[in-house]
């Protein structure tokens, strides 16, 4: 960037330096107190010193609302960006990111986050701590699962997950009641069911814990060692209302198809307390590992073909 930029344009609010071959953004940016939009996509940014030091503490750190660094060479989300507490829109698509740092939760004002076209394999649960996030784009990555904590993004309107490696969704995603758009095409989404799911019999400790919980055996913290009290607090209720049981570590994973928007059936992961526990869903909408493999694959294939075309809204 040219020297003296802040002196020539002290009232600059929007700066677009996209496609200029820049390898770094100079310290001149830090003295632009009114700059709210910075577009620097399709450059060569990403190496050491690409961003000026002290970015979060400078006037720019308080004024910047929109930052687009897509089409560069960042291998990680630059730590300097995590200090931009007023940032509302961040685009880092088409870079070389392999992950999302948990510290992303520090960008509390963020409403739009674009991370498509990278090499991201997982989503940190901390992403759910962005109270204003409305648009989340994670398409064209290598994501295999969605943390159930994303259901806490109550402001989310659009979620783009197409062209990843998803085979199922957490059932909690149905809690995103304000979601208007969900893109899932190009994911496996149970093209074939997992054949190697095994049920490990519960340990004696789990059997005892289940008995205590299901029979409401009274106990006080002074009655048991601290580690057992903590263990009993980790009991999960079986989702089958006819069962009423609990489980700790030993459970049966099951795919259940749930109607969404009255048109599509999403494969959601459920957990049951034992193989003998019947599914809480109706026979018309369930598909579990206890069914014959051919029936499971038929229904899974139908759902997968639907998912290839779906842009839910």
């Amino acid at each position: 960037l040219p020297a003296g930029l802040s002196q020539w344009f002290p009232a600059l609010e929007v700066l677009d330096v996209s496609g200029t071959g820049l390898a770094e953004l100079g310290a001149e940016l830090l003295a632009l107190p009114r700059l709210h939009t910075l577009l620097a996509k399709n450059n060569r940014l990403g190496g050491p010193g690409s961003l000026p030091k002290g970015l979060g503490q400078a006037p720019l750190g308080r004024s910047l609302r929109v930052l687009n660094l897509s089409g560069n060479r960042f291998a990680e989300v630059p730590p300097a960006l995590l200090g931009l507490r007023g940032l509302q829109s961040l685009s880092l698509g088409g870079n070389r990111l392999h992950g999302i740092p948990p510290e992303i939760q520090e960008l509390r004002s963020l409403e739009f986050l674009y991370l498509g076209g990278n090499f991201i394999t997982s989503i940190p649960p901390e992403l759910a701590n962005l109270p204003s996030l409305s648009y989340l784009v994670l398409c064209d990555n290598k994501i295999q699962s969605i943390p159930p904590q994303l259901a806490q993004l109550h402001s989310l309107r659009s979620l783009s997950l197409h062209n990843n490696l998803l085979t199922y969704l957490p059932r909690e995603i149905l809690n995103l009641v304000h979601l208007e758009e969900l893109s899932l095409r190009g994911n496996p989404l149970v093209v074939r069911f997992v054949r190697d799911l095994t049920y490990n019999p519960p340990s004696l400790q789990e059997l005892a814990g289940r008995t205590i919980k299901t029979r409401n055996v009274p106990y006080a913290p002074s009655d048991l060692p601290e580690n057992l009290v903590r263990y009993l607090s980790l009991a999960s209720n079986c989702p089958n209302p006819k069962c009423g049981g609990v489980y700790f570590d030993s459970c049966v994973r099951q795919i259940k198809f749930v109607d969404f928007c009255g048109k599509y059936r999403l494969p959601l992961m459920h957990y049951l307390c034992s193989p003998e526990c019947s599914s809480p869903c109706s026979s018309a909408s369930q598909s579990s590992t206890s069914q014959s493999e051919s029936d499971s694959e038929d229904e899974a294939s139908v759902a997968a073909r639907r998912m290839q075309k779906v842009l839910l809204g």
Side-chain angles (χ1 to χ4, degrees):
L1 293 178
L5 181 64
S6 59
Q7 298 175 354
W8 299 338
F9 307 107
L12 195 65
E13 297 183 354
V14 178
L15 177 61
D16 187 351
V17 290
S18 301
T20 55
L22 286 175
E24 64 179 60
L25 298 174
E28 287 293 324
L29 284 175
L30 302 181
L32 295 172
R34 299 186 184 181
L35 189 69
H36 59 72
T37 300
L38 175 58
L39 310 177
K41 56 186 179 180
N42 301 328
N43 282 299
R44 295 186 291 116
L45 302 170
S50 290
L51 301 178
K53 295 181 179 180
L55 185 60
Q57 293 74 39
L60 177 64
R62 295 186 292 271
S63 65
L64 201 60
R65 297 292 180 266
V66 178
L67 177 60
N68 191 330
L69 295 173
S70 292
N72 280 284
R73 303 177 181 179
F74 291 103
E76 62 178 12
V77 177
L81 300 186
L82 303 175
L84 301 175
R85 303 302 172 84
L87 202 63
Q88 297 174 355
S89 175
L90 174 61
S91 298
L92 279 165
N95 276 274
R96 303 171 182 177
L97 306 180
H98 284 79
I100 306 172
E103 292 79 10
I104 196 78
Q105 65 183 339
E106 301 298 328
L107 302 179
R108 304 283 292 178
S109 300
L110 208 59
E111 299 176 6
F112 177 92
L113 179 60
Y114 189 103
L115 298 174
N118 283 286
F119 303 96
I120 298 170
T121 58
S122 62
I123 303 172
E126 289 80 3
L127 194 63
N129 297 329
L130 297 175
S132 302
L133 194 64
S134 299
Y135 299 89
L136 176 58
V137 181
L138 295 167
C139 60
D140 300 294
N141 278 287
K142 299 181 181 296
I143 298 169
Q144 300 183 41
S145 63
I146 304 299
Q149 289 86 350
L150 286 196
Q152 301 170 20
L153 291 172
H154 301 301
S155 298
L156 202 62
R157 298 292 186 271
S158 178
L159 176 59
S160 295
L161 294 167
H162 53 271
N163 298 333
N164 276 285
L165 301 175
L166 299 173
T167 55
Y168 67 89
L169 300 174
R171 60 181 176 177
E172 289 83 358
I173 202 169
L174 297 179
N175 295 331
L176 295 173
V177 294
H178 297 295
L179 197 66
E180 299 171 357
E181 186 176 77
L182 173 61
S183 179
L184 294 169
R185 67 183 184 275
N187 281 281
L189 284 172
V190 200
V191 171
R192 54 179 291 184
F193 274 75
V194 179
R195 302 179 183 180
D196 299 327
L197 291 182
T198 58
Y199 174 68
N200 295 320
S203 63
L204 291 177
Q205 177 176 272
E206 173 148 349
L207 288 173
R210 289 188 181 196
T211 300
I212 291 174
K213 286 295 186 178
T214 55
R215 297 186 179 182
N216 294 317
V217 177
Y219 66 90
S222 58
D223 299 330
L224 300 170
E226 182 180 350
N227 64 316
L228 291 182
V229 173
R230 185 166 54 251
Y231 178 79
L232 289 171
S233 70
L234 298 176
S236 299
N237 294 320
C238 184
N240 185 356
K242 296 181 180 180
C243 171
V246 300
Y247 62 88
F248 293 85
D249 302 311
S250 180
C251 61
V252 176
R253 289 190 296 173
Q254 178 197 63
I255 298 292
K256 185 180 88 168
F257 286 88
V258 175
D259 289 340
F260 190 72
C261 296
K263 295 174 61 178
Y264 301 99
R265 301 175 74 193
L266 300 184
L268 307 183
M269 181 65 82
H270 283 244
Y271 300 88
L272 298 175
C273 64
S274 75
E276 291 74 29
C277 186
S278 60
S279 172
C281 50
S282 66
S283 59
S285 63
Q286 76 174 21
S287 187
S288 72
T289 54
S290 63
Q291 292 175 295
S292 69
E293 186 176 326
S294 60
D295 289 343
S296 296
E297 289 187 350
D298 286 346
E299 185 167 21
S301 298
V302 171
R305 286 196 297 271
R306 288 177 179 171
M307 290 301 104
Q308 299 301 317
K309 301 182 290 185
V310 63
L311 181 62
L312 300 179

